[in-house]
Amino acid sequence: MSRKRVLPLAALLLCVPALTGTVPASAAALPGSVGRSGPLRILLTNDDGYDAPGIRLLFDRLTAAGHEVTIVAPLTNQSGAGTKLMSGPAVRVEHPEPRVWAVDGTPGDAVSFGLAAVFRDRAPDLVVSGTNFGPNVAALATHSGTVGGAVAALERGVPALAVSTGELAVPVPQQILNAVRPTGDFAVKLIDRLRDRARGGRLLPEHVGLHVNHPVVGADGTGTARGVSVTTQDPQLGLGARYTDSGDGTWKVDVALVPAPAGRGGDVEAVGADRVSVTPITPDWSGGTADRAAAAALLKGLRP
């Protein structure tokens, strides 16, 4: 990800305290404009499954805020599916409720189906993926189906948010469930901010999305975050696996937290300080300017 290209954007979007207040109008409207104050057409997906608590709460919150929300999400839990897309030749899709579609595939499959079939006449204004039950910070984000759903939208030119709840710690399910509600409140504020700043233009620049990680605050998880930080993805591993040979051709897998200092300015540091982490994301894995310069120096003079 080219951090120099996208970080100033997110900083600009989030610079006003508490995501409230008046913001200056943009210079000109862009193609694919949205209404200045009207409801948005939102495709809501996730990787925990179409009926998971996080996506249902976010559906309720966004609908209560006046938006037109349609769930197009995996039929079953697809945590850790990353950006995987199924190859076909067919996909099973259920339509259990008027505004709910359940796709028997990955989050990327759900978004691909949603954009090509459910929203075939006109693309949604925004794709929101989440909120995920648990964090997607550090290397977890690289393999996250929640992030993968947002990336599938960005690849197709549709603005997208990935939203997750939790932090790098041994999870306490009830705390995370409780923290899903303030996560939803923040997501509504953020979407309002994007719409207000769009002033009739795009919600976000093409192929640039935002990944939100909301902390679990307070003993019961219902607390309010201390602020918002624009971050980069911490390079640490986060989770590690240990394999033990069972002697019968199978290996037992034990997954545990891998302690590491939080990188300065990263998502792990922000969430650990009870702040909402907002990381700009792009659908390509290109390095920044400094990364390209280092690669050029390494390859100088090399010939096939």
Side-chain angles (χ1 to χ4, degrees), residues 133-134 165-167 169-183 214-223:
F133 184 84
T165 304
E167 55 194 51
V170 176
V172 179
Q174 190 58 52
Q175 285 183 335
I176 297 176
L177 280 174
N178 290 343
V180 162
R181 186 165 298 280
T183 302
H214 194 286
V216 176
V217 182
D220 61 358
T222 62

Side-chain angles (χ1 to χ4, degrees), residues 17-301:
L19 288 175
T20 57
T22 304
V23 292
S26 60
L30 299 172
S33 62
V34 298
R36 179 171 176 177
S37 60
L40 299 179
R41 297 168 66 250
I42 296 175
L43 187 163
L44 182 61
T45 194
N46 72 344
D47 71 356
D48 293 327
Y50 78 98
D51 208 23
I55 194 171
R56 289 298 178 149
L57 180 138
L58 201 49
F59 177 87
D60 291 342
R61 290 292 290 107
L62 292 171
T63 300
H67 300 298
E68 182 182 317
V69 187
T70 301
I71 290 177
V72 189
L75 178 66
T76 60
N77 191 315
Q78 296 290 315
S79 294
T83 56
K84 179 180 179 181
L85 289 172
M86 304 290 283
S87 57
V91 61
R92 182 165 65 94
V93 179
E94 297 183 6
H95 192 23
E97 302 168 40
R99 303 196 68 83
V100 178
W101 300 80
V103 179
D104 191 11
T106 67
D109 292 325
V111 171
S112 178
F113 172 81
L115 296 180
V118 180
F119 287 86
R120 63 181 176 274
D121 295 328
R122 182 163 66 95
D125 301 311
L126 180 68
V127 168
V128 179
S129 185
T131 181
N132 186 66
F133 184 84
N136 278 309
V137 295
L140 299 180
T142 305
H143 309 286
S144 163
T146 302
V147 177
V151 167
L154 295 174
E155 289 176 333
R156 292 158 176 80
V158 179
L161 305 178
V163 185
S164 305
T165 304
E167 55 194 51
L168 277 182
V170 176
V172 179
Q174 190 58 52
Q175 285 183 335
I176 297 176
L177 280 174
N178 290 343
V180 162
R181 186 165 298 280
T183 302
D185 294 340
F186 178 81
V188 170
K189 287 184 179 181
L190 174 58
I191 291 169
D192 285 345
R193 163 61 60 86
L194 296 178
R195 181 182 58 189
D196 291 345
R197 290 198 69 95
R199 292 292 192 263
R202 287 180 58 90
L203 294 173
L204 288 164
E206 192 170 9
H207 302 308
V208 177
L210 298 176
H211 179 202
V212 176
N213 272 284
H214 194 286
V216 176
V217 182
D220 61 358
T222 62
T224 302
R226 296 178 182 273
V228 183
S229 294
V230 178
T231 62
T232 57
Q233 182 180 325
D234 195 303
Q236 68 174 277
L237 182 61
L239 296 177
R242 185 178 64 185
Y243 298 87
T244 304
D245 189 352
S246 299
D248 59 359
T250 64
W251 292 69
K252 181 182 178 182
V253 184
D254 293 305
V255 179
L257 295 172
V258 179
R264 187 171 179 82
D267 47 15
V268 175
E269 179 186 59
V271 173
D274 287 343
R275 297 179 65 85
V276 180
S277 165
V278 180
T279 308
I281 57 175
T282 61
D284 66 82
W285 290 354
S286 300
T289 303
D291 301 315
R292 291 193 293 273
L298 177 66
L299 300 176
K300 185 176 181 180

Side-chain angles (χ1 to χ4, degrees), residues 4-23:
K4 290 185 177 180
R5 176 161 60 91
V6 295
L7 274 177
L9 159 76
L12 177 64
L13 289 171
L14 303 175
C15 62
V16 180
L19 288 175
T20 57
T22 304
V23 292

